[in-house]
Amino acid sequence: MEKKGKIVLSGVKPTGQPHIGNYFGAMKQFVDLQGEYDESLFFIADYHALSTLHNADEMRNNIFEVALDYLAIGLDPKKAIIFKQSDIPQHAELAVIFNSITTMPYLMRAHAFKDAEAKNKEISVGTFDYPMLMAADILIYDTDAVPVGKDQKQHIEITRDTAEKFNRTFGEEFKLPEPLILENVAVVPGTDGQKMSKSYNNTIPLFAEDEEIQKAVMSIVTDSKSPEEKKNPEEDNIFALHKLFSSVEQLEDIEKRYKEGGMGYKESKEILIENVKKFITPLRERRKELEKDRGGIIKMLKENGEKMRERAEKKMESVREKVGVSLK
Ligand code: ADP
Ligand code: TRP
């Protein structure tokens, strides 16, 4: 895609500590893409978090944490506009309009909704309506590309459907965005071999302290093969993480020794611990530095919020006119 004049946008929910699955599955792309597009917009999806998080102190804390995470992984305020969703009430306004042109049976097909329902939780209307707010986040800025993890693919499809439906019903207004999904990044496994997820308590936090890294890696579940036995690297959770953290040469060597026999899981874990530490330490240190400038970060969010609000309002003027609620 020719990137001139193009806009890339994505968001992260402030629901707690990010882990390496979030990073390699989604956030890393943000850093790689900033600067490649004419405009890079990255926001904190606080109203999306509100559909499950109902504690004001925790919310406030988590919002600031995502801002820190963004900066610590390398988003550069000179290249990217970092802002907070709730500073732009126009997102919610547009979601109300999308609600009116979308049917319940259509939204009931969303995987995220079906998963929540299968877990038999008391689902909030906000959870059910999550894709409409997400469509508003994306479409209100005429976004071209949306970097997300694989599990968000359907949400982007819903966004495109919603844009088309609006355009068909009220006239051409919204651009159809493209998802940017790293198809070659497999789901990062957690320490128990399931998908790494905050909900499963099996994570390696992205900004973990050394002891946490040590503990998490040591707890990775393996089979009970002895060091001498031959092993299939593709069936091992430690090896899956080596692919993300270890150098090409190291990886080749580990693979060879797994296949030939002669590498035990303990040794494999010890190598992994060193490599994870090498990767995380500079990120963690940077985050600690950034944390000292709380005032500066809050000021940045506020200023960017104002800037984005003006843009969103302009778009909404056109949208309101199309649906017929503004009088001429
Ligand atoms: P969690 O499951 O920990 O609550 P989220 O649902 O908040 O994570 O995911 C945020 C983003 O990170 C999504 O785009 C998702 O695709 C990505 N992601 C989450 N876990 C993983 C994983 N284990 N491997 C790859 N990507 C992941
Ligand atoms: N739903 C996304 C997630 O869970 C977060 C999100 C909200 C988002 N609005 C968005 C991502 C708009 C991209 C674009 O990860």
Side-chain angles (χ1 to χ4, degrees):
M1 181 166 65
E2 170 60 54
K3 304 206 180 83
K4 210 164 175 322
K6 302 275 175 173
I7 297 175
V8 63
L9 167 140
S10 196
V12 166
K13 274 180 297 177
T15 47
Q17 276 190 336
H19 51 75
I20 59 171
N22 299 139
Y23 178 76
F24 287 103
M27 291 163 83
K28 180 175 186 293
Q29 275 203 93
F30 301 0
V31 184
D32 298 340
L33 291 167
Q34 64 173 344
E36 273 201 39
Y37 283 76
D38 257 22
E39 273 195 308
S40 304
L41 312 176
F42 295 107
F43 69 96
I44 304 164
D46 47 0
Y47 278 150
H48 275 113
L50 190 63
S51 61
T52 52
L53 171 59
H54 303 153
N55 178 310
D57 285 336
E58 219 177 297
M59 176 68 87
R60 257 188 294 273
N61 186 47
N62 287 353
I63 290 171
F64 183 67
E65 300 277 322
V66 175
L68 280 176
D69 298 340
Y70 272 164
L71 295 168
I73 62 170
L75 284 187
D76 176 354
K78 291 197 201 75
K79 293 185 186 153
I81 304 179
I82 300 173
F83 63 102
K84 178 157 77 69
Q85 181 186 39
S86 60
D87 281 339
I88 299 103
Q90 287 83 353
H91 289 218
E93 183 185 357
L94 184 54
V96 167
I97 294 175
F98 289 160
N99 280 344
S100 311
I101 59 168
T102 305
T103 68
M104 299 250 299
Y106 176 79
L107 279 187
M108 278 174 182
R109 290 201 290 269
H111 305 312
F113 167 69
K114 283 201 269 191
D115 290 351
E117 209 183 26
K119 282 184 197 140
N120 227 344
K121 281 194 247 162
E122 292 264 326
I123 304 163
S124 66
V125 176
T127 300
F128 179 64
D129 198 35
Y130 191 107
M132 292 295 98
L133 181 56
M134 182 155 165
D137 296 338
I138 296 168
L139 298 174
I140 203 163
Y141 301 114
D142 294 321
T143 302
D144 296 282
V146 189
V148 281
K150 270 186 197 162
D151 65 340
Q152 296 296 313
K153 193 172 182 171
Q154 192 191 30
H155 286 153
I156 310 295
E157 284 160 11
I158 295 175
T159 299
R160 291 171 60 94
D161 285 351
T162 306
E164 279 184 320
K165 180 107 189 246
F166 185 99
N167 292 348
R168 249 193 341 265
T169 311
F170 296 112
E172 207 51 43
E173 178 69 51
F174 295 111
K175 249 189 198 177
L176 301 195
E178 296 291 335
L180 297 178
I181 296 168
L182 299 172
E183 295 295 347
N184 58 345
V185 174
V187 169
V188 178
T191 52
D192 58 358
Q194 294 188 80
K195 170 192 163 185
M196 187 175 287
S197 170
K198 271 165 258 175
S199 347
Y200 302 151
N201 242 329
N202 62 356
T203 68
I204 302 179
L206 181 57
F207 302 99
E209 297 288 341
D210 285 355
E211 307 80 73
E212 264 180 292
I213 297 170
Q214 170 105 14
K215 211 171 139 218
V217 172
M218 277 305 173
S219 74
I220 295 174
V221 177
T222 62
D223 57 33
S224 53
K225 288 199 174 87
S226 69
E228 297 73 35
E229 278 178 83
K230 290 181 182 162
K231 303 174 183 68
N232 180 354
E234 296 311 322
E235 284 171 6
D236 175 44
N237 298 323
I238 314 168
F239 192 79
L241 296 176
H242 275 302
K243 284 186 187 164
L244 299 171
F245 292 100
S246 304
S247 67
V248 181
E249 300 81 54
Q250 231 176 358
L251 198 62
E252 277 172 8
D253 180 55
I254 297 168
E255 184 172 4
K256 190 159 160 271
R257 290 181 57 209
Y258 261 69
K259 285 183 176 159
E260 288 172 355
M263 176 173 268
Y265 292 126
K266 184 159 178 286
E267 184 188 350
S268 180
K269 283 180 178 178
E270 278 160 1
I271 299 171
L272 183 62
I273 287 170
E274 282 320 302
N275 291 339
V276 174
K277 279 185 187 168
K278 254 187 241 156
F279 173 81
I280 287 184
T281 305
L283 293 185
R284 194 181 61 218
E285 299 302 316
R286 179 144 44 145
R287 198 174 185 285
K288 282 193 180 142
E289 263 319 293
L290 289 160
E291 218 171 338
K292 295 179 191 157
D293 186 22
R294 187 182 170 89
I297 291 173
I298 291 176
K299 183 162 168 271
M300 171 195 78
L301 289 178
K302 201 162 167 246
E303 285 171 2
N304 287 345
E306 277 160 22
K307 194 154 59 178
M308 299 311 288
R309 191 154 63 232
E310 271 173 37
R311 276 171 70 157
E313 175 56 20
K314 252 203 202 120
K315 184 74 173 171
M316 283 311 293
E317 279 165 15
S318 167
V319 171
R320 289 183 207 114
E321 208 171 296
K322 287 227 164 58
V323 300
V325 293
S326 53
L327 301 182
K328 287 185 212 169

